[in-house]
Amino acid sequence: MACACSALYFLNLKGDILIQRTYRDDVERNLAPAFRSHILHTKGNDSVANLTPVRVLGSCSFLYMRQSDVYILAVVKSNSNAMLAFQFMVQTVNVFKSYFGGEFSEQSLKSNFVLIYELLDEILDFGYPQVADSSILKQYIFQKGFVTEATKLKREQEAANSTLQVTGAVGWRKDSIRYKKNEVFLDIIETVNMLMSNKGSVLRCDVNGKVVMKVFLSGMPDVKLGLNDKLEDVTFHQCVNLGKFNTEKVVSFVPPDGEFELMKYRCQDNIVLPFRILPIINEIGRTRLEVNVTAKSSFDSKLFALNVVISVPMPDNTAQAEIQTTQGKAKYDPKKHALVWKLKRFVGQSEHAMAATVELIATTREKKPWARPPIGMQFQVPMFSASGLRVQYLKVWEKSNYKVEKWVRKVSKSGDYSTRI
Amino acid sequence: MSDSKYFATTKKGEIHEFKEDLRSLDRSKKKEAVKKVIAAMTVGKDVSMLFPDVVNCMQTDDLELKKLVYLYLINYAKTQPDLAIMGVNTFVKDSQDPNPLIRALAVRTMGCIRVDKITEYLCDPLQRCLKDDDPYVRKTAAVCVAKLYDINSELVEDRGFLDILKDLLADSNPMVVANAVAALSEIHEVSGKDVFQITSNSLFKLLRALNECTEWGQVFILDSLAAYQAKDSKDAESIVERVSPRLQHANCAVVLSAVKVIMKQLDLIQDDALVRQLQKKMAPPLVTLLSAEPEIQYVALRNINLIVQKAPQILSHEVKVFFCKYNDPIYVKMEKLEIMIRLASDKNIDQVLLEFKEYATEVDVDFVRRAVRAIGRCAVSIEKAAERCINVLLELIQTKVNYVVQEAIIVIKDIFRRYPNRYESIIATLCENLDTLDEPEAKASMIWIIGEYAERIDNADELLEQFLETFPEETALVQLQLVTAAVKLFLKKPTEKPQQMIQLVLTYATQETDNPDLRDRAYIYWRLLSTDPDAAKEVVLAEKPVIMDNTTSLEPSLLTLLLGQLGNLASVYHKPPEAFVTRSRMAVQRAEDLAPASFEEEGPISAGASEAMPGPVAGPEVQSHQPDLLGDLLDVGEPTPPAPVAPTPTPPQPTARPPAPPTSNGNLQELLGGLDINAGAPPPAPVAPQQAGQADPFGSPAVRQDQAGGSSLRQLLTADRGKGLSIFGTVARVGGQPVYQLRFQNETAQPLDGFMIQFNKNTFGLAPANQAVNVGVIGPRSSGSASVPLVQNPAMVSPAQAPPTLQVAIRNNQLGVAYFNDSLPLPAILVEDGKIEGSVFVGSWKSLPEANEVTQQLPINIGSLESVRARLAAANLFVMAHKQVAQTNEEVLYITGKAATVDTPTQLLLEVRYSKAIPGIKAFTKSTRPDLAPFVFEALPALLT
């Protein structure tokens, strides 16, 4: 059945209850001790079965995930929809973040527990997710503080009137929105994941992109977005008319007010890799490493990358390193066991190198071979899209026919961008 | 201002303070107090004693305060049912409030309070709210019906709420429709009644609502659609057409539920091009699930595992996306590995092998082992890639990392099994690493290799000798392999050294060990060798059937079931819902719907998650994990399939085994049937049968035949009831096996033929080995006899009932079916080797719980001790001791016997007390199966008088 949970817990890292709400009577009231002793405390146990996020304990299933310093735990008795439960947890966290100014932590949960109980009463009913979208919830569940009795009364009146809309087909937007200046911001944010072998061949490479919009438009606007690529693998915000996309390949929607994620996409083919890393690491005897790392940028020379960090893992018994670079600063970070090379700005079509001599502490015992974790890389390349996605048009239509200012930006960021050594 | 201050109060006397504040007239003070109470409740403090004071705050205009009080009520109403009634007035009043949010809040909360008195008052407001003008109230009321059903299903049915819910499926508001679907689906599932059947009419409504409702509502609707059986290909196509746009939804649950609906309809669609197109369309959304949170990835991967078992082509080009990232959590890596193995083909194997090799150098030992096994499994399943896999394994062996080497040897054994006579040249490399092996499984594998290829390894005897030095300290697994390998070596190279070796091993294994498996195997080899070495050769060195890597594949019917459950917990555990959902209300017939055997095999549910993870055991090793007497003896080592229906290779013996018993031990009889076993070298020792239903191969059939043949047949069916056919019969034990002895008397004027027999389920699980009764044609007014061999089948077992009866059906071509009842005599399943030591008898009697003891007075007089002993012995009951109790002038007989109950034999312990002076006896019986006691008492009169 499509029920997400019988009870929902928010626990801190020690396993103490921060918030708990029971939705069904088929589970015991307090299962936090079970979670603590069977899940938290078996983490050290190396059996994989003890680490999975879905577990049977007694007659219940425990589904849990960690977000910052909080565990979210859903307990169910029936054969419920696990995907629904996890997706719901993820979105609940987003709702809370949106209410708490972007923060989700033990502290923010404690500081807002009254509001949270109110939200928990609204977003789940008998374990069935109802609404987990902050733009909808904020129409009738308010942040507390600063309200005078008069505004409060007015709000409650509005809230009472909002029910039609909340449950309706365009639940995410009310039609009374007015702006003096009508503006739309569209950001294409791409995360590039890559895994390259030490010989330079690409083992895996994909781009996870999302289109984030900030919409300040009056009335009930219809927006159409045209993109150059015929996107195969794409998912949309619930405001997008999926039927229309399927038949006409046009992204057509009535946007929510303010910021939201319009779409996510993923592509694997025809990706322009912004960087390549060429590592040469030689173990000289048992106490020395020679490291040469070259980084090449392959995007347009008019563009540049910002905040580039290249992290070259070293064995645990590293003593010290002598490093030279053609640009940027590099040093050995003993906490991460890695040579960390930072370049504030990396121009397109250029090449930089780092050379290091690393001394290792001789160990007496037979040491395990060094696991050689991959070299990691972080970067941001503004105005570059690794997938090659372009916005061809962005049309806004509203019955009052106002003028709209449109802004389109893009940026490519590193995801898991690693090179094996 | 932060709420966290409410958590800070831990001083004594706070309850009293709360109480005062709650009674305060100052509204803000009151509200603060309620907040503190809720904070205390959250951290687990008992604040139930404040119930009346908190409920007094319920009547308020402050919505926030009202919600807090309601929350308190939900938590504590059950503990204070009498006081909870105080809230009813406010609830009923709220349910008529002009504000729809408050109306909805009132029904929502009332539905959560499981107190009868509140429930009574819920019905009227609920009825109103289901027809409220406001959709928000209706959608809340729809869910409330499911709540009420959970508390009191009769009320829901009596008040006609189900019909109102069904009407809501046509509601103009999509969210109301979605919640009505959720509520109806739940009631349908929980009640087992047919309350929610999607028709083509409601289907249309649901599909329309699907486009408009919230993301969660879409999941409710899609999940209910997954149960819909389309009429034909066209119907299926139209559903898929309406559902497939959902694959593009940002919500992972919507995507997966849409996949579930499409997968289900795909089977019905006849247009192959469309099927391919749809499969292609499903791939990207499935892959996209892997860019979500790791927990979502995990659920997705478990589901993708099912999907590729059914249709690997959907993702056959996508193997790269399953390559593990360095930072993936271990549970994600393990699942990815599993899918990589499934998607590996001779086209992508080079890439995949490079990955596996990379993983084999990582730090996590479990993961490394799994990666090495993965290489072996690919070698076994992809013939063209076997050589490349072996090369990678050899490279890994060169790393000399201990656990990598051991794991590699284990999988190489499987590769040898799969491709005999092809890669033996690498044995030399393996032998170099002999000294580093310290894990039983690796050792056992290496020993198997040495034994199997003894003729090609020059110094096989020396190598084995090395292992034999530590024989007594080894684990059973290694010992069993050593015994087998020594026998193989001897049969292949019957020179002096192996002969000494085998003497040594067999002597040790038969005399020094406590392990019955090891001892039995050694005995069988010993007898085999001393009786007929050529036969031994044929048996031990027989050609082995080819193995397959199918251990982690699910049985087709289970797979189909699980594909209908995509997204649900069942799909994560890879188990049918019944295996982990315990719900007493679940209708009984539903439990029976599932294949009974499919799950019993898989072990207890507490191991759920670990079971569900495809274990580290690749198929072929199963042989060494669960030493099955027969399998190992032949060294067949069939990869035991996870479920009984999966195809298993048949052993190469010429078989004419009875078809019914699912135990492979049926073969043992044949195997040993032709040999005069008692002529073997060592004296016959008590051998514990491995499983019920197995006849004792060491018994002497001739003697038993006479005794059992003496039992008289009872009339079971008279001629007037049997339309002219009368039947006499009894269940007896002949030749160490239960048989049904039958005599048919044909009183009609026509010849009868085509006799067939069938049993109903019974306590012993007895069933005819063959349905056909071998009596041929029985002429008019003549008779015919038959002896139907019986077998014990776990599927035929029913719980013990009294009186112990056996329901039999016999049909023939002329008269049709006749039914009758027979008794189920215990001696039929008493095995010949039921004798135990006196000390064991006393020990078992004491160790069994008091509750297992059953006593009965029987109105019989004991005959002469000698004849009683003989009669008991003929029925395989053994008198342990006979003593006189001086004080009471009583005599006591201690009797034991072993009943071949299905699964495990039951040792029956029996004490009979009697006195010459007083008629009648008193019998006490004790065993692990007290339900067998009536059978014992039933059998006693015939045996003791």
Side-chain angles (χ1 to χ4, degrees):
Chain A
M1 69 175 90
C3 137
C5 62
S6 290
L8 194 64
Y9 290 83
F10 294 82
L11 306 134
N12 68 13
L13 295 186
K14 283 184 279 176
D16 302 329
I17 297 179
L18 302 173
I19 301 281
Q20 107 175 63
R21 174 74 208 255
T22 310
Y23 291 97
R24 280 170 186 251
D25 220 36
D26 57 358
V27 295
E28 273 180 57
R29 283 278 152 174
N30 192 357
L31 288 160
F35 176 77
R36 198 179 348 215
S37 60
H38 291 283
I39 296 179
L40 286 190
H41 292 175
T42 51
K43 284 267 155 136
N45 198 332
D46 51 10
S47 162
V48 178
N50 283 334
L51 301 169
T52 55
V54 185
R55 304 265 307 276
V56 174
L57 291 181
S59 60
C60 298
S61 290
F62 284 55
L63 296 84
Y64 65 98
M65 67 194 316
R66 191 182 148 177
Q67 291 279 329
S68 75
D69 57 353
V70 175
Y71 281 106
I72 308 159
L73 165 68
V75 184
V76 278
K77 190 102 176 202
S78 59
N79 173 30
S80 69
N81 190 323
M83 192 56 115
L84 182 78
F86 280 124
Q87 180 75 43
F88 174 77
M89 289 186 214
V90 169
Q91 286 184 224
T92 303
V93 171
N94 289 339
V95 167
F96 288 1
K97 276 184 180 165
S98 151
Y99 268 94
F100 310 152
E103 197 193 332
F104 180 82
S105 64
E106 178 175 355
Q107 197 48 49
S108 70
L109 287 179
K110 274 188 170 169
S111 309
N112 296 286
F113 85 96
V114 174
L115 175 62
I116 289 174
Y117 275 125
E118 203 175 335
L119 285 169
L120 287 179
D121 197 40
E122 200 58 51
I123 60 183
L124 271 176
D125 192 4
F126 205 40
Y128 290 107
Q130 299 294 303
V131 185
D133 185 325
S134 55
S135 64
I136 299 176
L137 287 165
K138 280 181 179 170
Q139 292 176 32
Y140 62 108
I141 294 183
F142 316 109
Q143 275 166 298
K144 56 196 186 69
F146 66 82
V147 261
T148 63
E149 280 298 312
T151 52
K152 197 169 147 190
L153 210 74
K154 189 169 155 249
R155 275 192 166 190
E156 275 182 14
Q157 199 57 43
E158 272 179 20
N161 295 335
S162 70
T163 53
L164 255 171
Q165 217 223 305
V166 165
T167 56
V170 190
W172 54 85
R173 189 179 180 91
K174 40 181 185 179
D175 60 359
S176 56
I177 302 169
R178 290 288 171 269
Y179 286 101
K180 270 190 193 146
K181 190 176 174 189
N182 289 293
E183 279 181 303
V184 182
F185 296 86
L186 186 147
D187 289 344
I188 299 175
I189 301 165
E190 298 197 334
T191 307
V192 193
N193 298 305
M194 182 210 68
L195 179 63
M196 194 181 276
S197 77
N198 55 357
K199 309 238 164 47
S201 59
V202 178
L203 298 173
R204 186 190 56 231
C205 165
D206 57 68
V207 169
N208 283 307
K210 58 181 178 183
V211 175
V212 176
M213 296 193 75
K214 268 191 203 137
V215 176
F216 306 110
L217 294 174
S218 311
M220 282 299 236
D222 266 318
V223 183
K224 277 196 178 122
L225 172 67
L227 299 163
N228 66 325
D229 227 42
K230 51 171 177 82
L231 290 163
E232 278 292 312
D233 187 2
V234 55
T235 57
F236 292 104
H237 185 269
Q238 56 172 333
C239 68
V240 175
N241 184 331
L242 293 177
K244 217 168 204 172
F245 178 75
N246 250 36
T247 49
E248 298 166 31
K249 293 287 164 196
V250 180
V251 185
S252 150
F253 54 100
V254 178
D257 192 40
E259 186 172 343
F260 72 102
E261 192 178 288
L262 175 70
M263 57 187 271
K264 277 200 274 205
Y265 57 93
R266 193 184 59 85
C267 50
Q268 279 172 284
D269 303 320
N270 305 324
I271 292 169
V272 183
L273 286 176
F275 288 100
R276 275 174 179 270
I277 301 281
L278 305 168
I280 302 169
I281 296 181
N282 291 320
E283 294 182 49
I284 298 170
R286 290 182 54 177
T287 56
R288 244 180 64 190
L289 287 179
E290 293 282 357
V291 180
N292 280 292
V293 176
T294 310
K296 278 186 189 174
S297 60
S298 48
F299 45 87
D300 194 293
S301 58
K302 282 175 226 150
L303 303 178
F304 53 85
L306 293 174
N307 303 327
V308 178
V309 181
I310 298 169
S311 163
V312 187
M314 288 290 119
D316 290 357
N317 58 336
T318 301
Q320 55 167 326
E322 224 170 89
I323 315 173
Q324 283 162 346
T325 60
T326 55
Q327 197 192 328
K329 283 180 188 162
K331 62 170 187 193
Y332 173 69
D333 182 340
K335 271 188 206 147
K336 291 182 190 154
H337 295 298
L339 304 177
V340 180
W341 177 21
K342 293 182 179 169
L343 302 98
K344 284 218 170 97
R345 198 179 149 103
F346 202 129
V347 181
Q349 300 290 340
S350 65
E351 181 176 324
H352 294 291
M354 173 183 79
T357 310
V358 180
E359 285 184 27
L360 308 176
I361 303 164
T363 47
T364 44
R365 68 195 155 85
E366 181 85 21
K367 74 175 169 87
K368 266 200 199 166
W370 176 36
R372 288 179 171 254
I375 295 179
M377 184 169 189
Q378 295 162 32
F379 55 80
Q380 285 171 17
V381 191
M383 298 322 288
F384 170 72
S385 132
S387 70
L389 184 80
R390 280 198 318 275
V391 172
Q392 284 182 326
Y393 59 83
L394 177 64
K395 289 179 189 162
V396 178
W397 187 89
E398 215 276 339
K399 53 181 187 256
S400 60
N401 218 358
Y402 48 70
K403 195 174 151 255
V404 180
E405 276 194 56
K406 300 170 221 170
W407 307 86
V408 176
R409 290 188 301 185
K410 51 188 172 182
V411 63
S412 287
K413 294 191 295 189
S414 54
D416 179 1
Y417 203 85
S418 38
T419 307
R420 285 179 181 162
I421 51 179
Chain B
M1 191 176 81
S2 150
D3 294 345
S4 45
K5 64 176 189 292
Y6 300 114
F7 292 94
T9 52
T10 47
K11 50 184 184 277
K12 278 187 184 167
E14 60 176 352
I15 297 287
H16 180 72
E17 207 171 284
F18 290 162
K19 214 168 211 159
E20 286 199 340
D21 287 353
L22 286 169
R23 288 175 184 167
S24 154
L25 292 172
D26 180 350
R27 282 175 67 169
S28 67
K29 208 170 185 182
K30 214 177 198 174
K31 193 164 164 184
E32 291 296 289
V34 174
K35 284 185 184 176
K36 280 182 197 157
V37 171
I38 298 288
M41 183 180 92
T42 298
V43 295
K45 277 181 212 155
D46 183 12
V47 284
S48 59
M49 64 294 266
L50 295 168
F51 200 91
D53 304 293
V54 177
V55 174
N56 272 334
C57 305
M58 192 168 161
Q59 185 77 331
T60 171
D61 295 335
D62 186 335
L63 195 55
E64 193 182 58
L65 177 60
K66 191 184 277 289
K67 284 181 178 173
L68 287 173
V69 175
Y70 280 4
L71 182 68
Y72 179 92
L73 265 175
I74 292 172
N75 260 335
Y76 288 116
K78 237 183 166 177
T79 61
Q80 312 261 354
D82 297 331
L83 292 173
I85 196 80
M86 288 163 58
V88 163
N89 270 335
T90 316
F91 277 130
V92 174
K93 206 173 137 216
D94 279 0
S95 75
Q96 287 162 313
D97 195 277
N99 184 338
L101 290 174
I102 292 179
R103 292 203 294 281
L105 180 67
V107 265
R108 186 163 67 213
T109 310
M110 276 178 100
C112 294
I113 300 176
R114 303 174 70 94
V115 172
D116 289 343
K117 282 180 187 143
I118 302 258
T119 310
E120 278 169 37
Y121 286 97
L122 169 62
C123 289
D124 289 331
L126 180 57
Q127 187 124 28
R128 271 198 308 276
C129 288
L130 280 167
K131 297 188 169 160
D132 201 287
D133 288 338
D134 193 289
Y136 183 85
V137 180
R138 289 202 301 279
K139 73 109 183 161
T140 309
V143 173
C144 193
V145 176
K147 292 181 191 170
L148 182 61
Y149 196 91
D150 191 44
I151 305 172
N152 189 337
S153 58
E154 281 170 24
L155 269 181
V156 171
E157 281 158 19
D158 294 349
R159 297 291 294 247
F161 288 147
L162 286 179
D163 293 327
I164 305 180
L165 262 191
K166 283 179 198 163
D167 292 343
L168 289 182
L169 292 180
D171 199 283
S172 58
N173 185 290
M175 197 163 176
V176 177
V177 178
N179 277 2
V181 167
L184 279 171
S185 301
E186 175 166 341
I187 295 170
H188 183 84
E189 192 179 318
V190 170
S191 67
K193 289 182 192 160
D194 200 9
V195 298
F196 184 39
Q197 198 67 268
I198 299 177
T199 61
S200 46
N201 185 25
S202 55
L203 177 71
F204 179 74
K205 287 175 197 154
L206 295 183
L207 285 172
R208 197 186 50 196
L210 184 62
N211 287 327
E212 295 174 341
C213 67
T214 67
E215 44 194 332
W216 314 112
Q218 295 183 20
V219 178
F220 308 158
I221 293 178
L222 288 168
D223 278 4
S224 73
L225 287 179
Y228 175 71
Q229 193 63 49
K231 286 193 297 288
D232 49 31
S233 177
K234 237 179 140 204
D235 197 16
E237 278 171 40
S238 75
I239 293 173
V240 168
E241 195 192 325
R242 300 289 291 272
V243 167
S244 59
R246 299 296 120 199
L247 294 173
Q248 249 93 50
H249 204 287
N251 186 311
C252 298
V254 174
V255 173
L256 195 56
S257 290
V259 168
K260 168 163 56 185
V261 176
I262 296 172
M263 284 296 285
K264 162 121 186 192
Q265 304 303 341
L266 224 46
D267 286 344
L268 274 167
I269 297 178
Q270 280 156 357
D271 179 354
D272 287 343
L274 180 62
V275 169
R276 273 196 301 278
Q277 188 200 329
L278 284 167
Q279 287 180 336
K280 211 177 147 206
K281 205 168 179 183
M282 275 191 286
L286 284 172
V287 172
T288 300
L289 296 177
L290 300 182
S291 45
E293 283 70 12
E295 291 83 4
I296 290 181
Q297 287 186 45
Y298 174 73
V299 175
L301 286 164
R302 294 292 287 169
N303 280 278
I304 288 171
N305 190 319
L306 296 172
I307 293 168
V308 297
Q309 279 190 48
K310 164 95 178 177
Q313 64 276 17
I314 292 181
L315 290 163
S316 56
H317 301 298
E318 305 279 357
V319 70
K320 270 188 171 185
V321 302
F322 297 101
F323 287 2
C324 300
K325 294 183 182 159
Y326 191 77
N327 296 325
D328 280 336
I330 184 73
Y331 56 83
V332 167
K333 283 185 177 177
M334 293 293 199
E335 293 305 320
K336 283 186 171 174
L337 207 57
E338 207 55 41
I339 293 168
M340 284 168 73
I341 297 171
R342 288 194 189 284
L343 295 179
S345 65
D346 56 321
K347 291 197 191 88
N348 59 23
I349 188 71
D350 286 330
Q351 255 183 340
V352 170
L353 278 178
L354 270 177
E355 281 297 304
F356 288 160
K357 202 175 134 192
E358 188 71 33
Y359 304 158
T361 62
E362 281 197 17
V363 271
D364 189 309
V365 177
D366 274 347
F367 183 56
V368 170
R369 285 175 183 276
R370 202 71 83 83
V372 177
R373 291 226 175 181
I375 300 172
R377 284 171 60 188
C378 285
V380 169
S381 54
I382 310 169
E383 185 161 3
K384 282 186 189 162
E387 186 151 359
R388 279 173 277 175
C389 295
I390 289 207
N391 288 335
V392 173
L393 288 170
L394 286 177
E395 281 176 50
L396 289 174
I397 288 176
Q398 301 304 340
T399 64
K400 301 273 175 198
V401 178
N402 185 282
Y403 51 86
V404 174
V405 173
Q406 309 214 36
E407 208 64 32
I409 286 179
I410 294 169
V411 295
I412 285 175
K413 178 207 66 187
D414 298 335
I415 298 174
F416 283 177
R417 278 295 316 280
R418 172 70 176 77
Y419 310 106
N421 307 318
R422 226 187 276 181
Y423 301 113
E424 284 72 18
S425 54
I426 67 168
I427 289 177
T429 318
L430 304 184
C431 291
E432 286 166 20
N433 292 289
L434 231 49
D435 304 335
T436 59
L437 304 183
D438 54 10
E439 292 166 19
E441 203 187 344
K443 270 191 190 174
S445 300
M446 193 65 219
I447 293 166
W448 183 87
I449 292 171
I450 296 172
E452 186 66 17
Y453 298 102
E455 72 275 25
R456 308 196 198 179
I457 307 172
D458 291 337
N459 59 343
D461 46 355
E462 286 167 26
L463 296 178
L464 269 189
E465 212 167 21
Q466 268 186 45
F467 284 108
L468 281 172
E469 278 165 19
T470 51
F471 186 85
E473 291 91 54
E474 297 291 356
T475 60
L477 182 68
V478 179
Q479 289 178 333
L480 285 167
Q481 282 302 335
L482 271 171
V483 171
T484 303
V487 172
K488 284 182 185 167
L489 175 69
F490 171 71
L491 289 171
K492 288 179 176 185
K493 294 184 182 173
T495 54
E496 194 183 341
K497 205 167 172 190
Q499 192 160 5
Q500 284 171 355
M501 210 185 281
I502 201 156
Q503 288 281 355
L504 203 77
V505 174
L506 290 182
T507 311
Y508 178 84
T510 48
Q511 288 170 17
E512 311 271 325
T513 176
D514 296 330
N515 182 338
D517 288 341
L518 183 64
R519 195 183 54 209
D520 291 356
R521 194 191 288 192
Y523 268 132
I524 291 172
Y525 280 139
W526 198 321
R527 286 172 182 141
L528 209 48
L529 289 170
S530 56
T531 313
D532 186 350
D534 287 331
K537 231 175 192 167
E538 273 179 45
V539 171
V540 178
L541 305 180
E543 199 178 306
K544 282 161 278 296
V546 172
I547 58 165
M548 287 182 293
D549 178 38
N550 60 356
T551 43
T552 50
S553 296
L554 296 165
E555 178 207 338
S557 64
L558 180 61
L559 182 61
T560 310
L561 186 142
L562 293 181
L563 282 168
Q565 296 281 347
L566 288 187
N568 292 357
L569 283 169
S571 74
V572 178
Y573 298 140
H574 290 188
K575 287 175 186 292
E578 287 78 2
F580 58 92
V581 176
T582 45
R583 200 199 300 268
S584 52
R585 239 184 288 146
M586 195 88 89
V588 181
Q589 73 269 21
R590 288 170 64 90
E592 276 180 355
D593 285 345
L594 29 62
S598 62
F599 232 5
E600 286 160 10
E601 302 269 303
E602 299 230 7
I605 186 60
S606 58
S610 66
E611 272 289 324
M613 289 290 291
V617 184
E621 284 93 55
V622 173
Q623 167 210 0
S624 24
H625 270 286
Q626 306 169 330
D628 165 274
L629 183 60
L630 179 76
D632 275 9
L633 179 61
L634 288 173
D635 236 290
V636 182
E638 305 174 19
T640 310
V645 187
T648 39
T650 10
Q653 296 306 115
T655 46
R657 60 168 141 165
T663 64
S664 57
N665 288 11
N667 283 10
L668 190 56
Q669 277 165 268
E670 291 160 46
L671 176 62
L672 299 172
L675 304 173
D676 182 3
I677 279 156
N678 287 340
V687 177
Q690 294 290 295
Q691 249 173 312
Q694 175 200 8
D696 174 11
F698 304 107
S700 45
V703 182
R704 307 271 175 236
Q705 184 92 46
D706 287 346
Q707 288 160 347
S711 56
S712 59
L713 304 184
R714 295 189 297 128
Q715 181 155 26
L716 301 167
L717 190 70
T718 53
D720 52 345
R721 275 195 60 221
K723 299 178 213 160
L725 174 72
S726 59
I727 301 177
F728 303 82
T730 188
V731 179
R733 191 172 181 85
V734 175
Q737 204 193 351
V739 293
Y740 203 22
Q741 292 174 325
L742 287 168
R743 192 157 58 82
F744 301 95
Q745 186 85 38
N746 181 4
E747 313 277 6
T748 66
Q750 54 173 336
L752 302 176
D753 65 354
F755 282 89
M756 311 261 275
I757 185 167
Q758 185 131 29
F759 288 177
N760 198 351
K761 288 187 179 180
N762 55 73
T763 314
F764 300 155
L766 286 171
N770 258 314
Q771 288 206 339
V773 180
N774 198 9
V775 286
V777 184
I778 303 174
R781 270 170 286 285
S782 58
S783 66
S785 296
S787 175
V788 179
L790 303 179
V791 291
Q792 283 178 298
N793 182 345
M796 287 290 292
V797 175
S798 71
Q801 77 258 28
T805 53
L806 176 67
Q807 294 173 321
V808 187
I810 288 188
R811 80 175 281 273
N812 59 57
N813 289 343
Q814 287 72 30
L815 302 174
V817 189
Y819 299 93
F820 54 86
N821 283 345
D822 195 358
S823 64
L824 204 53
L826 180 74
I829 59 155
L830 288 176
V831 297
E832 284 68 14
D833 62 9
K835 203 163 188 165
I836 50 174
E837 296 290 336
S839 56
V840 178
F841 184 96
V842 176
S844 321
W845 187 282
K846 281 184 183 153
S847 65
L848 284 164
E850 213 50 52
N852 282 18
E853 186 172 322
V854 187
T855 312
Q856 192 163 342
Q857 298 259 7
L858 296 168
I860 51 172
N861 290 324
I862 299 278
S864 86
L865 208 54
E866 277 316 296
S867 60
V868 166
R869 257 184 214 275
R871 260 201 299 279
L872 284 171
N876 289 332
L877 284 168
F878 306 95
V879 177
M880 306 293 305
H882 171 245
K883 73 175 181 189
Q884 310 255 357
V885 185
Q887 305 94 306
T888 56
N889 204 18
E890 264 186 332
E891 288 183 59
V892 189
L893 277 177
Y894 296 98
I895 302 165
T896 190
K898 184 151 70 182
T901 34
V902 170
D903 295 337
T904 45
T906 309
Q907 191 76 40
L908 299 166
L909 308 174
L910 185 60
E911 185 184 321
V912 177
R913 285 173 175 268
Y914 59 98
S915 162
K916 289 260 170 1
I918 310 152
I921 63 159
K922 201 169 180 188
F924 304 78
T925 176
K926 220 170 174 185
S927 72
T928 50
R929 293 273 307 267
D931 57 323
L932 292 179
F935 293 88
V936 176
F937 300 137
E938 176 100 352
L940 282 182
L943 298 169
L944 293 176
T945 46

